[in-house]
Structure formats: C-alpha cells, structure tokens
Amino acid sequence: MHTRRTTRRFRTAACLLAAAALLVSGCSSGSTSSTASSAAEEKGAAPTALPRSTPAALMSYYEQKPSWRDCGVPGFQCATVKAPLDYDAPSAGDVRLALARKKATGPGKRLGSLLVNPGGPGGSAVGYLQAYAGIGYPAEVRARYDMVAVDPRGVARSEPVECLDGPGMDAYTRTDVTPDDARETDALVAAYRKFAEGCGADAPKLLRHVSTVEAARDMDIVRAVLGDKKLNYVGASYGTFLGATYAGLFPSRTGRLVLDGAMDPSLSARQLNLEQTAGFETAFTAFAKDCGRRDDCPLGGRGTGPEQAGKNLKALFADLDARPIPTGDADGRRLTESLATIGVIAAMYDEGAWQRLREALTAAKRNDGAGLLALADSYYERDADGSYANLMFANAAVNCLDLPAAFDSPDEVRAALPDFEEASPVFGEGFAWMALNCAYWPVRATGEPQRIEAKGAAPIVVVGTTRDPATPYRWAEALADQLSSARLLTHEGDGHTAYGRGSDCIDSTINAYLLRGTPPADGKRCS
C-alpha cells in the first residue's frame, strides 16, 4: 500500500505538469491543430542530428568516471557528473548533475542502463527512481537493467532553480486566475512578474540554459559515463519530449526508447495549452459520468449528466471566488477558487483519485476545504512545513525557454477566451489565463515548434492513452507520425500515461520490447 500511494503521488504531481495551469496546459480544435502542424512541417525536421564523433571540447565531459556513493536509501547509489553550462561555449562553466542508480539484481544477462524520467518538466527523476521505478518497475526489467535517473539541469538535486519562498508561493498559488475586472487582472500580472523576477534573480545564468535540447545533450554525457553505447530510456509525459529530442539529436545512439503519454513537439505553446484544456475536459467528462452513477455524487447526485455536473462545479468555483472557505490549515490558508481548481485538476491524472475527489468536493460543499487543499498541495509539491519542492519553478523555467510565450498580454488572453471555453466549459477560462505566465519571463525563448523525425533511430515505442487529460491521445498519434521509426501503442482508458497502471497488455508489450528488443506492431491497442 505504501508503494502504491507513493507511486500515485508521482503520477499525479511530478509526472503531470507538462500541462498544468501555471505552466504548460493545453487543448484545441482540430482545425487549429492541423494549421499548427502544417506550419511546423514548413520549418522542417528538428532538432538536427549532431555529428557522431564527440567534439574535442566536450571530450573531458564524456570521459568522466562517476564516483558512486551510498544515497541514504537502501539499494541505491548516487553520483554527480558535470556538463557544460553552455554547449556553444564549453569553457564558460559547468552544471552539476545528480545521478542515482540501482544495479541490476539478476538473474539473466545485464542489458545495460535504463534511464527513467517522470516528466514535468521539473519532476525529479532521482526521486521517482528511488520512490517508484527502482522498486516498482517489473522485476524482470529490474533484474536485467541498472535502473538509472538523472535530475535534469535546474531540477531538484541538479542545481535547482528557486523563485519564491514558501509564503511567497502560498500567495502565488491562491492568486485569482479568472480575473473579473482590471484590478484582479493587474494582480495576476503582478504575481506572474514577481514569480519570474524571483527566478531571474536566483539563477540569471542557468535560466538561459535549462532547455530540453540541453537536457537531452546532458543525457548523452550520462550515457557515455555509464559505459553504454546506446541510450535505453523510459520517459513519461514531458519525458517523452525529452526522449524524442534525444533521438533527434543522437539517432545512431538511440537504443530502446519508450515514450509514454506523448507530447507533440510541432505545436506552439498556445496550441499545447488549448489542446491540453480539451484533454482535461475529456477527463472531467469521464469522471462526471462515473460520479453520476452514484447516489452520493457531490455534483448533483445519481443521474446527473456531465454537462450539468460541470455547471455545478463551476458554481462551486464561483462561490469560492466570492468567499474562500476554511481548511483547518496550520498556516491559516483558506480554499480559494484557484486552489480548488488545481485540486480538481490533480485528481484528473489518475482515476484512482476520483473517490478522494468526490469526498473532497462533498466536504467543500459543507464549508470544509481541507480535502481540495490537500490535493492542490500534492500537485504543487508543498510540504507540511510550508516549503515547496522546485517542481513549479523548474517547470516554468523549461517551458518558457522551450517555446515562445502562448500570450504576450492580457488582451491576447481575452481574445482567446472563446476558444478555450469552447474546449472546456469547466477549465477553459482558468487555463487561458494560466498560459500568460511566460509573457513576463526574464529570458527569451530559444526553442520553437518543430517536428522531430529522428531518421536512422532504432524502433521507438510511443504510448498514448485515449482519455489522457494532460497529454491528449492526438499528441501520441502526432509524435508517432513524426518519428520515422515509431510504433504507436494505444491504451484505451483513463488517466495519464499507461505503463505500470494496471493493463497487462500494455505492460507485457513494453516489457517484451525492453527485454528482447521486440517492438509491438504499429497501431496495437490495449484496454
């Protein structure tokens, strides 16, 4: 039970954030998505594959010998390796990257290292390895692979970006993200500015070098220092973008890659947010249908349809906007509309959290906001002592560098509101305003929407779940269409990602690929 709860926490917090409100979210109509894809095609495939030979200026990084030590977690070892802060100027300084591993347990011939990444961006891969992957992945996989994780630059143990202290984050998370007038709009903009200024003051140099391309290049250094000729990798959510980027840069060094809960790299930030908004609406509809089969459904009781359930939830949010309710929190925090919204969103990542959400909504209707606040805190990775992990800081830092901002001003958000509200009557308004955060970022974006083809790479397994809220299924189809060697594996179900979430068909298919190198037939479907 403990492992299961820990696993769920990572799947509903660390793995989820590619789309969450304050960072990247998304959703959109089919017509606009095709336009975005066409525009990306005109730009050509990206990123460009790097030369197979290692440049002399980088050789010292590739020849590092990690000094493994005890982690303080039984069975795991930790080490630190260096990567250049700026790959275009390797002499300008280093970034220290935190690694962890759990060696192959046997029996059977060792297959090398298997790197894992839970997503985010901003999720701690080291934490994910120690709390779940290193002990919860199938025994036959752990027997044959050294399970390895590296926290990407700027994340967790790898020179983490910090933006606000605990009280500052408390204020930030309760900021109204559905402003009703000019005063509330100014307050939201001020909150985004303060957040961005805090990040810029904390890491003025690093903030320019936390892109996904740089993190992927770091992974190739890690591959080399581990002694592996090719990279074997399982990435979830944003981790699929990281893995696909690696394949695009190093197709000849790409081994067995599993990209679970795939992102579409050809979309702009606005399109990602719009399509993700629709994804959460799809997930909410599934939750609402399940809720409507129950006498105690807090959104209207048995027989309530999804549309009415959505209206009832919006009414609750409006009540909380007007009058936040008590939570019993030691720091005196009350449940605001923004915190309640994030609490609901957090539960959309895993259908196993639906009962907890029903209980939290029932309590909120009785003037007790503790349940929804706890869900929001898990999403933000807020500890009981009022401190926050750096997940949200790193999430913004990477997203705002990888793509130009979705919106440049409040006026642009207002103009886009009809599209977002059409995509999700429940979450659309909030998701649109949350996508404004990168407009005030202190560092200009270095990336752009582009297709990734990775010509020459070994077969890559792309996994999509049909009712995934954070990474809509269409994204998996799009990525599989772009990658020249992709095999699309479909999970017909709910929740975010598929591997290790209860489908024997999914798990056995991925295990066969990781252990024997046998990819599934393209288009295979599992329930």
Side-chain angles (χ1 to χ4, degrees):
M1 289 297 293
H2 175 74
T3 299
R4 181 65 176 171
R5 288 196 300 270
T6 303
T7 301
R8 180 159 293 138
R9 177 173 185 260
F10 275 95
R11 293 196 180 279
T12 58
C15 304
L16 57 82
L17 281 209
L22 303 165
L23 318 157
V24 171
S25 50
C27 136
S28 90
S29 66
S31 59
T32 50
S33 88
S34 62
T35 300
S37 296
S38 297
E41 288 176 11
E42 292 174 2
K43 295 175 182 176
T48 302
L50 294 172
R52 293 193 181 195
S53 59
T54 301
L58 298 179
M59 193 61 70
S60 63
Y61 296 102
Y62 276 77
E63 293 177 344
Q64 294 175 87
K65 302 297 182 184
S67 178
W68 294 100
R69 63 188 184 280
D70 181 73
C71 282
V73 179
F76 292 88
Q77 297 174 308
C78 290
T80 302
V81 299
K82 294 179 180 179
L85 174 68
D86 183 351
Y87 277 92
D88 291 331
S91 62
D94 298 331
V95 174
R96 296 181 301 277
L97 304 175
L99 276 66
R101 75 176 179 185
K102 186 174 185 184
K103 299 190 74 173
T105 58
K109 181 181 178 182
R110 178 180 173 276
L111 295 174
S113 305
L114 179 65
L115 266 69
V116 295
N117 183 283
S124 172
V126 171
Y128 175 75
L129 177 74
Q130 294 175 344
Y132 173 60
I135 55 177
Y137 264 38
E140 56 268 38
V141 172
R142 291 183 284 114
R144 306 285 300 281
Y145 283 100
D146 289 348
M147 301 292 296
V148 179
V150 54
D151 280 345
R153 50 177 63 202
V155 174
R157 299 161 178 83
S158 295
E159 300 194 20
V161 173
E162 302 289 343
C163 304
L164 298 173
D165 61 12
M169 271 299 287
D170 282 347
Y172 181 70
T173 60
R174 63 174 175 260
T175 302
D176 189 350
V177 293
T178 55
D180 300 316
D181 51 34
R183 180 184 62 81
E184 291 185 351
T185 300
D186 290 345
L188 180 59
V189 168
Y192 286 149
R193 288 188 185 278
K194 184 175 182 180
F195 185 97
E197 289 167 359
C199 296
D202 175 73
K205 292 183 179 180
L206 180 61
L207 215 60
R208 291 172 168 79
H209 297 287
V210 291
S211 70
T212 297
V213 167
E214 289 161 313
R217 296 191 70 171
D218 293 344
M219 286 206 303
D220 197 53
I221 290 176
V222 171
R223 173 203 59 77
V225 302
L226 292 172
D228 293 319
K229 292 183 178 180
K230 294 193 175 186
L231 179 79
N232 301 311
Y233 173 85
V234 178
S237 196
Y238 161 80
T240 67
F241 180 36
L242 180 59
T245 300
Y246 180 90
L249 292 169
F250 305 103
S252 65
R253 299 175 191 168
T254 297
R256 299 171 187 177
L257 262 62
V258 177
L259 308 180
D260 184 12
M263 291 184 64
D264 179 358
S266 74
L267 300 180
S268 68
R270 185 180 301 194
Q271 195 65 27
L272 282 167
N273 277 271
L274 185 58
E275 294 197 9
Q276 191 174 63
T277 303
F280 276 95
E281 184 68 19
T282 297
F284 175 77
T285 297
F287 164 75
K289 287 180 178 178
D290 179 78
C291 191
R293 300 185 187 105
R294 304 170 187 273
D295 293 333
D296 62 349
C297 177
L299 297 179
R302 182 180 289 274
T304 303
E307 183 177 356
Q308 186 58 50
K311 291 178 180 178
N312 293 342
L313 181 59
K314 286 285 287 182
L316 174 61
F317 288 161
D319 290 343
L320 293 170
D321 188 28
R323 188 182 67 85
I325 61 176
T327 63
D329 177 63
D331 295 316
R333 293 179 300 153
R334 298 174 75 84
L335 183 70
T336 62
E337 177 191 16
S338 55
L339 286 168
T341 301
I342 291 297
V344 173
I345 287 170
M348 293 297 99
Y349 285 91
D350 186 344
E351 66 272 27
W354 288 358
Q355 178 179 346
R356 183 179 175 189
L357 176 58
R358 291 194 303 273
E359 293 169 352
L361 289 170
T362 298
K365 292 174 65 177
R366 297 171 180 166
N367 208 44
D368 177 3
L372 284 174
L373 181 64
L375 283 166
D377 283 350
S378 71
Y379 181 91
Y380 286 127
E381 293 201 348
R382 183 190 192 272
D383 290 331
D385 64 2
S387 64
Y388 287 77
N390 102 305
L391 171 63
M392 302 302 288
F393 310 139
N395 185 283
V398 176
N399 284 328
C400 294
L401 197 61
D402 274 350
L403 290 173
F407 301 110
D408 290 328
S409 69
D411 286 343
E412 288 190 6
V413 177
R414 293 188 188 97
L417 281 176
D419 289 340
F420 277 78
E421 291 178 320
E422 180 182 358
S424 174
V426 177
F427 304 116
E429 181 184 7
F431 271 32
W433 283 106
M434 291 180 210
L436 181 63
N437 69 314
C438 287
Y440 309 101
W441 204 245
V443 177
R444 188 170 183 173
T446 56
E448 63 180 6
Q450 292 177 310
R451 290 172 59 88
I452 298 178
E453 296 180 2
K455 292 181 179 178
I460 298 171
V461 176
V462 176
V463 188
T465 296
T466 54
R467 293 184 295 278
D468 189 317
T471 52
Y473 178 67
R474 195 201 67 76
W475 292 0
E477 293 179 305
L479 181 60
D481 180 64
Q482 293 168 41
L483 292 169
S484 61
S485 62
R487 306 290 180 88
L488 178 61
L489 175 62
T490 298
H491 175 225
E492 297 177 348
D494 298 293
H496 185 38
T497 73
Y499 188 43
R501 298 191 70 250
S503 169
D504 291 339
C505 174
I506 291 289
D507 291 353
S508 61
T509 300
I510 292 175
N511 291 346
Y513 171 64
L514 291 175
L515 295 171
R516 297 187 290 278
T518 307
D522 189 33
K524 180 174 181 176
R525 303 182 75 88
C526 297
S527 58

